[in-house]
Amino acid sequence: SMAINIQNHYAVAVVTLAAPESLNALTIPDLVELRDSLRQLQDDEQVRCIVMTGEGAKSFCTGVNLRDTMPPEGLFVKNNFLGSAADAGRDGYTRLVDLSDLEIWKPMIAAINGYCLGGGLELAMQCDLRIASETASFGLPEDKVASVPAAGGVQQLLRAIPAAHAMKLALTGDRIDAASALRMGLVSDVTPAEDLLSEALSVAERIAANGPLAVQAVKRLALETSHLAPREYIAQSNLHWGLLRDSADRIEGRRAFAEKRAANFEGR
Protein backbone atom coordinates (compact mmCIF):
# COMPACT_ATOMS: atom_id res chain seq x y z
CA SER A 1 0.00 0.00 0.00
CA MET A 2 1.12 3.59 -0.53
CA ALA A 3 -0.77 5.05 2.42
CA ILE A 4 2.45 5.80 4.32
CA ASN A 5 4.89 7.94 2.32
CA ILE A 6 8.36 8.80 3.58
CA GLN A 7 10.59 11.56 2.24
CA ASN A 8 13.97 12.49 3.64
CA HIS A 9 14.98 16.14 3.95
CA TYR A 10 18.63 15.76 4.98
CA ALA A 11 18.45 14.54 8.59
CA VAL A 12 14.66 14.95 8.84
CA ALA A 13 12.25 12.23 7.70
CA VAL A 14 8.74 13.36 6.74
CA VAL A 15 6.13 10.64 7.22
CA THR A 16 2.92 11.44 5.34
CA LEU A 17 -0.34 9.65 6.11
CA ALA A 18 -1.83 9.40 2.63
CA ALA A 19 -5.36 8.02 2.63
CA PRO A 20 -7.24 11.20 1.67
CA GLU A 21 -10.35 9.33 0.51
CA SER A 22 -10.99 8.38 4.17
CA LEU A 23 -9.75 11.73 5.61
CA ASN A 24 -6.53 9.87 6.47
CA ALA A 25 -8.25 7.28 8.63
CA LEU A 26 -5.78 4.39 8.63
CA THR A 27 -6.63 0.77 7.90
CA ILE A 28 -4.99 -2.06 9.84
CA PRO A 29 -2.39 -2.61 7.04
CA ASP A 30 -1.71 1.17 7.04
CA LEU A 31 -1.08 1.13 10.80
CA VAL A 32 1.22 -1.88 10.49
CA GLU A 33 3.12 -0.06 7.73
CA LEU A 34 3.33 3.12 9.83
CA ARG A 35 4.74 1.16 12.77
CA ASP A 36 7.30 -0.64 10.57
CA SER A 37 8.34 2.68 8.99
CA LEU A 38 8.83 4.40 12.35
CA ARG A 39 10.89 1.49 13.64
CA GLN A 40 13.14 1.67 10.54
CA LEU A 41 13.56 5.43 10.97
CA GLN A 42 14.56 4.94 14.62
CA ASP A 43 17.34 2.60 13.48
CA ASP A 44 18.46 4.77 10.52
CA GLU A 45 21.52 6.71 11.64
CA GLN A 46 20.97 9.39 8.99
CA VAL A 47 17.61 10.37 10.52
CA ARG A 48 17.64 12.69 13.53
CA CYS A 49 14.05 13.95 13.64
CA ILE A 50 10.69 12.75 12.30
CA VAL A 51 7.81 14.94 11.06
CA MET A 52 4.39 13.29 10.74
CA THR A 53 1.67 14.93 8.65
CA GLY A 54 -1.44 14.13 6.63
CA GLU A 55 -1.84 14.38 2.88
CA GLY A 56 -3.97 17.24 1.60
CA ALA A 57 -5.37 20.23 3.45
CA LYS A 58 -8.40 18.55 5.01
CA SER A 59 -7.11 16.06 7.51
CA PHE A 60 -4.13 15.00 9.60
CA CYS A 61 -5.71 11.74 10.73
CA THR A 62 -9.22 10.75 11.79
CA GLY A 63 -8.23 7.52 13.51
CA VAL A 64 -8.75 3.95 12.35
CA ASN A 65 -10.56 3.07 9.10
CA LEU A 66 -12.69 0.06 9.92
CA ARG A 67 -13.91 -0.65 6.40
CA ASP A 68 -11.95 -3.94 6.23
CA THR A 69 -12.53 -5.15 9.79
CA MET A 70 -14.98 -7.97 10.35
CA PRO A 71 -17.05 -8.37 13.50
CA PRO A 72 -14.72 -9.65 16.23
CA GLU A 73 -13.99 -13.34 16.52
CA GLY A 74 -13.13 -14.87 19.84
CA LEU A 75 -13.00 -13.44 23.33
CA PHE A 76 -11.45 -10.01 23.91
CA VAL A 77 -9.65 -11.37 26.98
CA LYS A 78 -8.05 -14.22 25.03
CA ASN A 79 -6.94 -11.95 22.18
CA ASN A 80 -5.62 -9.39 24.66
CA PHE A 81 -2.90 -11.83 25.70
CA LEU A 82 -1.70 -12.13 22.10
CA GLY A 83 1.04 -9.94 20.70
CA SER A 84 -0.35 -6.71 19.23
CA ALA A 85 0.31 -7.82 15.63
CA ALA A 86 -1.58 -11.10 16.06
CA ASP A 87 -4.35 -9.34 17.97
CA ALA A 88 -4.71 -6.66 15.27
CA GLY A 89 -6.20 -9.14 12.82
CA ARG A 90 -8.75 -10.17 15.45
CA ASP A 91 -10.27 -6.75 16.19
CA GLY A 92 -7.34 -5.61 18.36
CA TYR A 93 -6.59 -2.74 15.97
CA THR A 94 -6.62 -0.19 18.79
CA ARG A 95 -3.34 -1.59 20.10
CA LEU A 96 -1.64 -0.60 16.84
CA VAL A 97 -2.30 3.09 17.60
CA ASP A 98 -0.19 2.81 20.78
CA LEU A 99 3.39 3.38 19.61
CA SER A 100 5.06 3.02 23.01
CA ASP A 101 6.30 -0.52 22.37
CA LEU A 102 8.26 0.72 19.32
CA GLU A 103 10.63 2.76 21.53
CA ILE A 104 10.97 5.69 19.11
CA TRP A 105 13.49 7.93 20.87
CA LYS A 106 14.01 10.28 17.93
CA PRO A 107 11.85 13.38 18.36
CA MET A 108 8.58 13.36 16.45
CA ILE A 109 6.75 16.50 15.35
CA ALA A 110 3.11 16.33 14.28
CA ALA A 111 2.35 18.87 11.53
CA ILE A 112 -1.43 19.00 11.81
CA ASN A 113 -3.26 20.24 8.73
CA GLY A 114 -6.95 19.60 9.37
CA TYR A 115 -9.00 17.07 11.29
CA CYS A 116 -7.07 15.54 14.19
CA LEU A 117 -9.68 13.36 15.81
CA GLY A 118 -9.93 10.25 17.94
CA GLY A 119 -7.07 7.89 17.15
CA GLY A 120 -5.57 10.69 15.03
CA LEU A 121 -5.29 12.88 18.12
CA GLU A 122 -3.86 9.90 20.02
CA LEU A 123 -1.13 9.65 17.33
CA ALA A 124 -0.47 13.40 17.48
CA MET A 125 -0.20 13.35 21.27
CA GLN A 126 2.43 10.62 21.05
CA CYS A 127 4.52 13.04 19.00
CA ASP A 128 6.77 15.26 21.10
CA LEU A 129 5.65 18.53 19.51
CA ARG A 130 2.50 19.54 17.67
CA ILE A 131 2.38 22.38 15.14
CA ALA A 132 -1.01 23.22 13.65
CA SER A 133 -2.31 24.83 10.51
CA GLU A 134 -5.01 27.47 11.03
CA THR A 135 -7.38 24.90 9.49
CA ALA A 136 -6.65 22.23 12.13
CA SER A 137 -9.27 20.96 14.55
CA PHE A 138 -8.98 18.55 17.45
CA GLY A 139 -11.24 16.23 19.40
CA LEU A 140 -11.75 12.90 21.16
CA PRO A 141 -15.28 12.13 19.93
CA GLU A 142 -15.35 8.49 21.10
CA ASP A 143 -18.01 8.85 23.77
CA LYS A 144 -20.37 10.39 21.19
CA VAL A 145 -20.49 6.87 19.71
CA ALA A 146 -20.55 5.14 23.12
CA SER A 147 -16.88 4.19 23.18
CA VAL A 148 -13.68 5.46 24.81
CA PRO A 149 -10.25 6.40 23.42
CA ALA A 150 -8.46 3.04 23.48
CA ALA A 151 -4.81 4.08 23.10
CA GLY A 152 -4.42 6.32 26.13
CA GLY A 153 -6.07 9.43 24.68
CA VAL A 154 -7.70 10.63 27.90
CA GLN A 155 -4.49 10.25 29.90
CA GLN A 156 -2.36 11.81 27.14
CA LEU A 157 -4.69 14.80 27.03
CA LEU A 158 -4.45 15.25 30.82
CA ARG A 159 -0.65 15.27 30.52
CA ALA A 160 -0.69 17.70 27.59
CA ILE A 161 -3.11 20.39 28.77
CA PRO A 162 -4.78 21.58 32.00
CA ALA A 163 -7.29 19.14 33.47
CA ALA A 164 -10.31 21.44 33.11
CA HIS A 165 -9.82 21.65 29.33
CA ALA A 166 -8.86 17.97 28.99
CA MET A 167 -11.91 16.72 30.85
CA LYS A 168 -14.25 19.06 28.98
CA LEU A 169 -12.93 17.74 25.65
CA ALA A 170 -12.95 14.10 26.72
CA LEU A 171 -16.43 14.17 28.26
CA THR A 172 -18.23 16.26 25.62
CA GLY A 173 -16.45 14.86 22.56
CA ASP A 174 -16.44 18.48 21.31
CA ARG A 175 -14.10 19.61 18.54
CA ILE A 176 -11.90 22.67 19.04
CA ASP A 177 -10.12 24.85 16.49
CA ALA A 178 -6.40 25.62 16.17
CA ALA A 179 -6.61 28.90 18.11
CA SER A 180 -8.22 27.10 21.08
CA ALA A 181 -5.61 24.33 20.89
CA LEU A 182 -2.85 26.96 21.00
CA ARG A 183 -4.45 28.75 23.94
CA MET A 184 -4.72 25.46 25.87
CA GLY A 185 -1.14 24.49 25.05
CA LEU A 186 -2.06 21.43 22.99
CA VAL A 187 0.06 22.83 20.13
CA SER A 188 3.16 25.02 20.28
CA ASP A 189 2.54 27.00 17.07
CA VAL A 190 -0.23 27.82 14.60
CA THR A 191 0.70 28.76 11.03
CA PRO A 192 -1.14 29.61 7.82
CA ALA A 193 -1.88 26.37 5.95
CA GLU A 194 0.72 27.05 3.26
CA ASP A 195 3.50 27.52 5.86
CA LEU A 196 2.77 24.43 7.98
CA LEU A 197 5.34 22.01 6.58
CA SER A 198 8.11 24.59 6.24
CA GLU A 199 7.58 25.65 9.89
CA ALA A 200 7.63 22.01 11.05
CA LEU A 201 10.80 21.37 9.01
CA SER A 202 12.41 24.48 10.44
CA VAL A 203 11.87 23.25 14.00
CA ALA A 204 12.94 19.72 13.01
CA GLU A 205 16.16 21.02 11.46
CA ARG A 206 17.01 22.94 14.64
CA ILE A 207 16.50 19.75 16.63
CA ALA A 208 18.54 17.76 14.09
CA ALA A 209 21.48 20.16 14.50
CA ASN A 210 21.79 19.22 18.18
CA GLY A 211 23.68 16.22 19.55
CA PRO A 212 21.57 13.27 18.33
CA LEU A 213 22.34 11.00 21.28
CA ALA A 214 21.62 13.85 23.69
CA VAL A 215 18.29 14.59 21.97
CA GLN A 216 17.22 10.96 22.27
CA ALA A 217 18.33 10.91 25.90
CA VAL A 218 16.17 13.99 26.58
CA LYS A 219 13.16 12.20 25.09
CA ARG A 220 13.86 9.03 27.06
CA LEU A 221 14.14 11.02 30.30
CA ALA A 222 10.87 12.80 29.50
CA LEU A 223 8.97 9.59 28.76
CA GLU A 224 10.51 7.13 31.20
CA THR A 225 11.24 9.14 34.33
CA SER A 226 8.64 11.92 34.63
CA HIS A 227 6.45 9.85 36.96
CA LEU A 228 9.30 9.22 39.42
CA ALA A 229 9.91 11.12 42.65
CA PRO A 230 12.41 14.02 42.27
CA ARG A 231 15.26 12.13 43.92
CA GLU A 232 14.82 9.26 41.42
CA TYR A 233 14.42 11.36 38.29
CA ILE A 234 17.42 13.50 39.21
CA ALA A 235 19.47 10.31 39.60
CA GLN A 236 18.31 9.20 36.12
CA SER A 237 19.19 12.63 34.68
CA ASN A 238 22.67 12.43 36.17
CA LEU A 239 23.14 8.90 34.84
CA HIS A 240 22.24 10.02 31.29
CA TRP A 241 24.53 13.05 31.65
CA GLY A 242 27.33 10.66 32.59
CA LEU A 243 26.58 8.36 29.65
CA LEU A 244 26.92 11.31 27.27
CA ARG A 245 29.87 12.96 29.02
CA ASP A 246 32.58 10.95 27.32
CA SER A 247 31.00 10.83 23.86
CA ALA A 248 32.85 12.29 20.87
CA ASP A 249 29.88 14.61 20.29
CA ARG A 250 30.13 16.06 23.80
CA ILE A 251 33.83 16.82 23.26
CA GLU A 252 33.03 18.34 19.85
CA GLY A 253 30.29 20.44 21.50
CA ARG A 254 32.77 21.88 23.99
CA ARG A 255 35.35 22.59 21.29
CA ALA A 256 32.79 24.27 19.02
CA PHE A 257 31.63 26.46 21.92
CA ALA A 258 35.20 27.47 22.74
CA GLU A 259 35.98 28.16 19.08
CA LYS A 260 32.67 30.05 18.56
CA ARG A 261 31.61 27.87 15.63
CA ALA A 262 28.71 25.54 14.82
CA ALA A 263 29.24 22.03 16.12
CA ASN A 264 29.33 19.06 13.75
CA PHE A 265 27.73 16.15 15.60
CA GLU A 266 27.97 12.58 14.35
CA GLY A 267 25.97 10.65 16.91
CA ARG A 268 28.94 8.95 18.51
Side-chain angles (χ1 to χ4, degrees):
S1 108
M2 289 304 291
I4 309 297
N5 296 329
I6 297 174
Q7 280 189 305
N8 284 55
H9 296 252
Y10 305 102
V12 179
V14 178
V15 177
T16 303
L17 312 178
E21 70 288 344
S22 66
L23 292 172
N24 295 327
L26 303 177
T27 63
I28 289 172
D30 296 339
L31 283 164
V32 170
E33 188 182 350
L34 174 63
R35 292 167 62 86
D36 290 346
S37 301
L38 290 173
R39 194 54 247 175
Q40 285 166 20
L41 293 174
Q42 173 60 29
D43 293 339
D44 181 344
E45 292 202 5
Q46 304 307 307
V47 173
R48 296 189 183 182
C49 192
I50 299 165
V51 171
M52 190 187 296
T53 195
E55 186 175 289
K58 267 191 174 163
S59 182
F60 170 74
C61 179
T62 53
V64 182
N65 183 341
L66 302 182
R67 65 164 189 241
D68 295 329
T69 57
M70 296 300 289
E73 286 177 32
L75 285 168
F76 177 86
V77 65
K78 181 181 176 192
N79 294 341
N80 201 247
F81 288 111
L82 294 170
S84 60
D87 188 16
R90 296 175 171 81
D91 198 48
Y93 54 84
T94 54
R95 288 169 67 187
L96 296 177
V97 179
D98 168 24
L99 308 178
S100 61
D101 59 313
L102 300 178
E103 301 194 305
I104 307 300
W105 303 119
K106 291 177 181 177
M108 291 172 58
I109 300 173
I112 300 163
N113 46 324
Y115 298 124
C116 181
L117 304 174
L121 180 52
E122 288 179 310
L123 280 179
M125 286 192 292
Q126 291 176 84
C127 294
D128 304 291
L129 291 174
R130 285 164 296 283
I131 296 173
S133 153
E134 289 169 345
T135 59
S137 62
F138 304 82
L140 285 180
E142 282 85 351
D143 50 13
K144 284 184 180 288
V145 293
S147 185
V148 296
V154 174
Q155 299 87 340
Q156 288 167 336
L157 204 52
L158 280 163
R159 281 166 167 74
I161 62 176
H165 292 305
M167 292 306 289
K168 186 178 177 187
L169 279 171
L171 292 170
T172 59
D174 285 351
R175 226 167 73 207
I176 57 166
D177 62 14
S180 301
L182 181 65
R183 195 173 63 245
M184 291 174 190
L186 185 58
V187 300
S188 63
D189 304 87
V190 174
T191 73
E194 62 272 19
D195 300 335
L196 175 67
L197 199 57
S198 60
E199 178 61 26
L201 284 171
S202 167
V203 175
E205 282 156 12
R206 300 206 296 278
I207 291 170
N210 295 333
L213 299 175
V215 163
Q216 292 184 77
V218 165
K219 178 165 177 175
R220 180 175 267 170
L221 285 169
L223 291 183
E224 291 199 336
T225 77
S226 62
H227 65 289
L228 299 176
R231 181 175 181 154
E232 294 170 311
Y233 68 61
I234 292 167
Q236 284 297 320
S237 302
N238 193 251
L239 183 64
H240 280 76
W241 175 84
L243 287 171
L244 291 161
R245 185 193 65 182
D246 304 323
S247 66
D249 279 354
R250 180 79 178 96
I251 293 159
E252 161 65 6
R254 288 180 197 164
R255 285 199 179 122
F257 182 80
E259 294 165 16
K260 297 183 171 58
R261 61 173 174 84
N264 179 29
F265 296 122
E266 294 179 11
R268 62 188 81 210

